Amino acid sequence: MTTKANGLTNLGLVQMACEPEPERNLARALESIRSAASGGAQIICLPELFRTQYFCQEENVDQFELAEPIPGPTTEALSRTARDCAVVVVGTVFERRTAGIYHNSAVVIDADGELLGIYRKMHIPDDPLYYEKFYFTPGDLGFRVFETRFGSVAPLICWDQWFPEAARLAALAGAEFLVFPSAIGWHPDEKEQHGKAQAEAWRIAHRAHAISNGAFVAAINRTGHERPLDGSPTRPMGYSGIEFWGRSFACNPLGVIVAEAGDRDEILIACCDRADVERTRRDWPFLRDRRIDSYGGLTRRAAK
Amino acid sequence: MTTKANGLTNLGLVQMACEPEPERNLARALESIRSAASGGAQIICLPELFRTQYFCQEENVDQFELAEPIPGPTTEALSRTARDCAVVVVGTVFERRTAGIYHNSAVVIDADGELLGIYRKMHIPDDPLYYEKFYFTPGDLGFRVFETRFGSVAPLICWDQWFPEAARLAALAGAEFLVFPSAIGWHPDEKEQHGKAQAEAWRIAHRAHAISNGAFVAAINRTGHERPLDGSPTRPMGYSGIEFWGRSFACNPLGVIVAEAGDRDEILIACCDRADVERTRRDWPFLRDRRIDSYGGLTRRAAK
């Protein structure tokens, strides 16, 4: 059995498009986990809400039917595959917690198949075609780290990427790996004008988390062009949907990208030396110098 | 008289090398302010501790002789020039506050010459050849914003750049411009191996501040290769000093670099439309979604 004694961890990033039929996406995800595992990956991450298309492009109560409990069918299938392959799996689930409370939740499953726990997305977007506030109650578990067989993993989810607070709290809690299952893309209508800056800003935000915290960071995105269903009531950006930009990547604690995908489906494997976390933080001792006496204002909305 | 009614502000970045003789550096800085102003700059920023060479390469009590009060000769000279040119000036001073308390302080001087206030560097480094903890008492004024004739300016200083908390607090306090007078460079001994990643990490950290806060960010660095004086007691990285890398730049609230210097002395002028702050924050409403209820842990050293 592989152990974490050697300090090296192979991170596996499954970049995939999602089809309309949930069972097909789940089957494909399980197959990709097996494939990544046979390629040497030890912590394998799936894109945000990989079991479905990105249903948040419209506000439609029928979509709540896609939710399921945790543990539930999806996490059980992920657990079996994690155990079979002896790998850690990070997946996200549209969680039905109770009637009227749904979350966008990540699960971390250890290499023996045990569900170590969940993280419920803390920062919820509401942007044209990303109507997540309609579906997802904001998480109430805070920022969490799970000790897995292959390292300490903090799952964060997509929109969380824009909040340095989230990455910092996860790092302070002991995370070596900050992993961001994501579903981010362009509005085709504005891609030509803003697309390059948007995708570059996304990379920079992630790399900056790695740098300021001295931790590995990975973003795992979906691909494909998904359009809102016919009959969707809300289409302010036109009918052209979202073109998910893929480009999943992993970077080391210096923010150097060590593996990066294109815009098609791909399984990336990034070799990470966990000793780089300690090494980088000795060279760049930012955590030593934080002015915790002066950060109280971070819990305020604004200074005025 | 130029007013801020039109929403456009030209930011001037003075990138310069510093000589051994303080009066020559001050004269050169004043001349550069005049030159930037005649080129249209309205908020003009100087590199960190521009009046002297970077004396923190050694721990030497004699260097405290370089300190001066605020207001004092340097700030008075900056005020006169600011008033003469009708420009805002951000400079930094080795401040003697009282016997035994010295700070690395930024001053913001309005376009009428008024000293609006000071910021005392909050995060103090202590790295080989950057022995700032020996000289500088950590700031006790928090993160500050000054309303100038040409926009709201938060001065932060060099090492502060690695702390997303600093940028966030300045933005929450209302800053449109986060300006970082800096003195950062390579140890020549490690430049070949790490230099590229170090300089890139520096750019990324700054650009991420712009992105996550929807504000303009500028870094103003010195140039030149400075060596510790003979007789310096501490030379753990060898005798080769610091090669300040220049590369001052300004980026917009999307993190896009709008002006960038090379590694020689240069005066950069970046045209900034302050309406971009509001515009960017409407498109990317990160400040709306901060989970202030869950950020209390940021005032702790670590979670364990």
Side-chain angles (χ1 to χ4, degrees):
Chain A
M1 187 173 70
T2 317
T3 71
K4 64 176 171 180
N6 65 5
L8 297 178
T9 292
N10 290 325
L11 205 58
L13 283 56
V14 174
Q15 174 168 295
M16 58 185 269
C18 300
E19 305 174 42
E21 175 51 54
E23 291 315 308
R24 285 175 59 94
N25 295 318
L26 178 58
R28 183 125 181 274
L30 299 177
E31 187 185 294
S32 297
I33 292 170
R34 291 181 191 282
S35 167
S38 69
Q42 295 166 306
I43 298 176
I44 301 174
C45 307
L46 301 167
E48 183 181 11
L49 300 172
F50 67 93
R51 205 178 69 94
T52 59
Q53 289 204 310
Y54 186 69
F55 53 85
C56 311
Q57 289 196 53
E58 55 165 3
E59 298 197 358
N60 178 349
V61 290
D62 295 340
Q63 305 281 24
F64 286 103
E65 290 299 323
L66 294 168
E68 57 175 309
I70 297 176
T74 295
T75 65
E76 281 156 15
L78 294 175
S79 280
R80 279 191 299 274
T81 305
R83 189 188 57 224
D84 289 354
C85 299
V87 294
V88 172
V89 170
V90 180
T92 71
V93 172
F94 181 17
E95 179 193 5
R96 180 187 178 282
R97 185 172 175 182
T98 189
I101 302 182
Y102 301 83
H103 294 286
N104 187 337
S105 299
V107 293
V108 178
I109 296 167
D110 211 353
D112 60 1
E114 187 194 353
L115 176 58
L116 293 177
I118 66 176
Y119 162 77
R120 292 179 174 135
K121 189 171 183 175
M122 291 287 285
H123 300 96
I124 309 293
D126 193 298
D127 258 357
L129 300 193
Y130 295 86
Y131 301 109
E132 295 197 18
K133 289 194 196 296
F134 177 75
Y135 293 102
F136 307 129
T137 302
D140 56 352
L141 298 174
F143 304 96
R144 309 188 72 190
V145 176
F146 299 97
E147 303 294 331
T148 75
R149 188 183 295 175
F150 302 112
S152 304
V153 177
L156 295 161
I157 304 177
C158 204
W159 193 243
D160 289 324
Q161 73 217 348
W162 303 114
F163 301 84
E165 294 91 342
R168 181 68 97 202
L169 287 165
L172 293 180
E176 297 166 304
F177 298 96
L178 310 179
V179 300
F180 291 78
S182 300
I184 189 167
W186 294 294
H187 294 130
D189 302 344
E190 57 178 36
K191 181 179 173 184
E192 187 176 330
Q193 191 182 354
H194 300 296
K196 189 179 163 195
Q198 290 170 348
E200 179 65 2
W202 177 74
R203 276 163 46 115
I204 287 171
H206 281 298
R207 296 174 70 187
H209 297 325
I211 294 162
S212 54
N213 294 293
F216 289 93
V217 171
I220 309 92
N221 195 20
R222 67 173 65 198
T223 61
H225 188 166
E226 300 179 23
R227 289 173 178 79
L229 301 175
D230 285 340
S232 163
T234 49
R235 293 177 170 172
M237 300 293 294
Y239 292 75
S240 42
I242 302 175
E243 189 183 331
F244 294 99
W245 66 49
R247 301 179 179 212
S248 302
F249 70 95
C251 63
N252 71 18
L254 289 169
V256 175
I257 292 180
V258 293
E260 185 171 26
D263 58 4
R264 304 291 180 85
D265 289 10
E266 198 169 329
I267 294 173
L268 280 184
I269 298 181
C271 179
C272 304
D273 183 351
R274 294 199 313 283
D276 281 347
V277 173
E278 179 109 17
R279 203 176 287 134
T280 302
R281 291 182 186 178
R282 288 183 188 181
D283 280 345
W284 283 356
F286 308 146
L287 298 187
R288 178 192 68 190
D289 291 337
R290 294 177 67 242
R291 290 295 306 273
I292 55 173
D293 59 312
S294 68
Y295 293 165
L298 294 169
T299 60
R300 297 176 62 189
R301 185 64 64 204
K304 52 183 160 190
Chain B
M1 187 174 71
T2 316
T3 71
K4 63 176 169 180
N6 65 6
L8 297 178
T9 292
N10 290 326
L11 204 58
L13 282 55
V14 174
Q15 174 168 296
M16 60 184 268
C18 300
E19 304 175 43
E21 176 49 55
E23 291 315 309
R24 287 174 59 95
N25 295 318
L26 178 58
R28 184 127 180 272
L30 298 176
E31 186 184 294
S32 296
I33 292 169
R34 291 180 190 282
S35 167
S38 69
Q42 296 166 305
I43 298 176
I44 300 174
C45 307
L46 300 167
E48 183 181 12
L49 299 171
F50 66 93
R51 205 178 70 96
T52 60
Q53 289 203 312
Y54 186 68
F55 54 83
C56 311
Q57 289 195 54
E58 57 167 1
E59 298 197 356
N60 178 349
V61 290
D62 294 341
Q63 306 281 24
F64 287 104
E65 291 299 323
L66 295 168
E68 57 176 309
I70 299 176
T74 296
T75 64
E76 282 157 15
L78 294 175
S79 280
R80 279 192 299 275
T81 306
R83 189 188 58 224
D84 289 352
C85 299
V87 295
V88 172
V89 170
V90 180
T92 72
V93 172
F94 181 18
E95 179 192 6
R96 181 187 178 282
R97 185 173 176 181
T98 188
I101 302 182
Y102 301 82
H103 295 285
N104 187 337
S105 300
V107 294
V108 178
I109 296 166
D110 210 353
D112 60 1
E114 187 194 352
L115 176 58
L116 294 177
I118 66 174
Y119 163 76
R120 292 180 174 136
K121 189 172 183 173
M122 290 287 285
H123 300 97
I124 309 293
D126 193 298
D127 258 357
L129 300 193
Y130 295 86
Y131 302 109
E132 295 197 18
K133 288 193 197 295
F134 177 76
Y135 294 102
F136 308 129
T137 302
D140 56 351
L141 297 175
F143 304 96
R144 309 189 71 189
V145 175
F146 300 97
E147 304 293 332
T148 75
R149 187 183 293 174
F150 302 113
S152 305
V153 177
L156 295 161
I157 304 176
C158 205
W159 192 244
D160 289 323
Q161 73 217 349
W162 304 114
F163 301 85
E165 293 92 342
R168 180 70 97 202
L169 286 165
L172 294 180
E176 297 167 302
F177 297 97
L178 310 179
V179 301
F180 290 78
S182 300
I184 189 167
W186 294 294
H187 294 130
D189 302 343
E190 57 177 36
K191 181 179 174 185
E192 188 176 331
Q193 191 182 354
H194 300 296
K196 189 178 163 194
Q198 289 170 348
E200 180 64 2
W202 177 74
R203 276 162 47 114
I204 288 171
H206 282 298
R207 295 174 70 188
H209 297 324
I211 294 163
S212 53
N213 293 294
F216 289 93
V217 171
I220 309 92
N221 195 20
R222 68 171 66 195
T223 61
H225 188 166
E226 299 179 23
R227 290 172 179 78
L229 300 177
D230 284 339
S232 163
T234 48
R235 292 176 172 172
M237 300 292 294
Y239 292 75
S240 43
I242 302 175
E243 188 183 333
F244 294 99
W245 66 48
R247 301 180 179 211
S248 302
F249 70 95
C251 64
N252 71 18
L254 290 168
V256 175
I257 293 180
V258 294
E260 186 170 26
D263 58 4
R264 304 292 181 85
D265 289 9
E266 196 168 330
I267 294 173
L268 280 184
I269 298 181
C271 179
C272 304
D273 182 351
R274 295 199 312 283
D276 282 346
V277 173
E278 179 111 16
R279 203 176 286 134
T280 302
R281 293 182 186 178
R282 289 182 186 180
D283 281 345
W284 283 356
F286 308 146
L287 298 186
R288 178 193 68 191
D289 291 338
R290 295 178 66 242
R291 288 296 305 273
I292 55 174
D293 59 313
S294 68
Y295 293 165
L298 293 169
T299 61
R300 297 176 61 189
R301 185 63 64 204
K304 52 184 161 190

